[in-house]
């Protein structure tokens, strides 16, 4: 048997939501599959995704991601996908019930932080259970980042 050539999947697609770390304090991290339609995977491979305003919510015991913008495929025809539709996320039943229980606590939300393609060519999304930061917490994180940057400069 011949080996499969995985070179077509090594595209290092790694789309991040950098603002999430500034806006939220991370509590728990999960990897979820994402249900895509039509030309969405081709747009993801082109890197045309925006996770900035995305969030996740439960509907009838299933987890959905909303406000994730996947641009239409540039070479698609009238079969192109909707840009801002809600997409179902795939997690194990145990993880879903754990997340749903924690979502009922005050101030917790689920945020998509990273979208990538794994070795098998499947789109995966890293989601985080997070709590919103207050203004003074945001200032502290900026101050810590500045101190770390200064320390790195002094080493060299």
């Amino acid at each position: 048997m011949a080996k499969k050539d995985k070179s077509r999947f090594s595209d290092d697609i790694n789309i991040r939501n950098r603002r999430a770390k500034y806006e939220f304090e991370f509590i728990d991290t999960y990897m979820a599959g994402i249900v895509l339609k039509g030309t969405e995977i081709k747009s993801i491979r082109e890197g045309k995704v925006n996770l900035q305003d995305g969030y996740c919510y439960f509907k009838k015991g299933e987890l959905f991601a909303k406000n994730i913008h996947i641009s239409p495929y540039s070479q698609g025809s009238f079969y192109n996908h909707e840009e801002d539709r809600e997409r179902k996320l795939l997690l194990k039943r145990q993880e879903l019930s754990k997340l749903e229980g924690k979502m009922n606590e005050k101030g917790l939300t689920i945020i998509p932080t990273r979208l990538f393609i794994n070795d098998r060519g499947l789109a995966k999304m890293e989601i985080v259970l997070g709590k919103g930061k207050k203004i003074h917490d945001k200032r502290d994180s900026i101050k810590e980042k500045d101190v770390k940057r200064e320390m790195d400069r002094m080493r060299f």
Side-chain angles (χ1 to χ4, degrees), residues 30-36 40-41 44 56 62-65 68 85-92 95-96 99 112 114-118 120-127:
Y30 297 92
M31 290 298 184
I34 183 168
V35 177
L36 300 173
E40 289 177 328
I41 189 68
I44 290 172
C56 302
E62 296 178 329
L63 188 63
F64 288 88
I68 295 173
R85 73 176 187 87
E86 58 185 39
R87 293 165 181 89
K88 184 177 175 181
L89 298 180
L90 305 172
L91 285 168
K92 293 182 180 177
E95 292 174 330
L96 283 172
L99 269 173
R114 189 170 76 123
L115 182 66
F116 63 98
I117 296 178
N118 69 0
R120 294 175 52 201
L122 303 174
K124 298 286 183 179
M125 184 178 288
E126 183 179 283
I127 57 174

Side-chain angles (χ1 to χ4, degrees), residues 15-31:
I15 299 150
R16 293 187 172 275
N17 182 357
R18 289 188 229 126
R19 202 172 96 200
K21 198 165 191 172
Y22 175 72
E23 297 281 337
F24 296 94
E25 177 184 334
F26 294 170
I27 296 171
D28 230 351
T29 304
Y30 297 92
M31 290 298 184

Side-chain angles (χ1 to χ4, degrees), residues 79-151:
Y79 291 114
N80 242 333
H81 61 273
E82 291 180 43
E83 299 170 14
D84 290 323
R85 73 176 187 87
E86 58 185 39
R87 293 165 181 89
K88 184 177 175 181
L89 298 180
L90 305 172
L91 285 168
K92 293 182 180 177
R93 177 64 50 198
Q94 182 180 2
E95 292 174 330
L96 283 172
S97 60
K98 184 179 176 183
L99 269 173
E100 195 166 17
K102 288 185 178 181
M103 277 287 291
N104 293 332
E105 292 180 28
K106 188 178 178 188
L108 294 181
T109 185
I110 302 173
I111 312 113
T113 56
R114 189 170 76 123
L115 182 66
F116 63 98
I117 296 178
N118 69 0
D119 295 337
R120 294 175 52 201
L122 303 174
K124 298 286 183 179
M125 184 178 288
E126 183 179 283
I127 57 174
V128 172
L129 181 69
K131 187 173 187 176
K133 286 184 180 179
K134 305 278 190 234
I135 293 175
H136 60 83
D137 292 334
K138 292 178 186 179
R139 288 184 193 142
D140 290 342
S141 61
I142 291 172
K143 195 181 296 183
E144 287 173 14
K145 195 177 359 176
D146 288 342
V147 168
K148 185 179 180 217
R149 189 178 306 128
E150 286 297 321
M151 294 299 285

Side-chain angles (χ1 to χ4, degrees), residues 53-86:
D53 298 326
Y55 64 94
C56 302
Y57 68 96
F58 281 94
K59 182 165 74 172
K60 296 182 183 174
E62 296 178 329
L63 188 63
F64 288 88
K66 191 151 177 131
N67 286 350
I68 295 173
H69 182 84
I70 299 177
S71 296
Y73 183 53
S74 58
Q75 297 167 354
S77 61
F78 58 90
Y79 291 114
N80 242 333
H81 61 273
E82 291 180 43
E83 299 170 14
D84 290 323
R85 73 176 187 87
E86 58 185 39

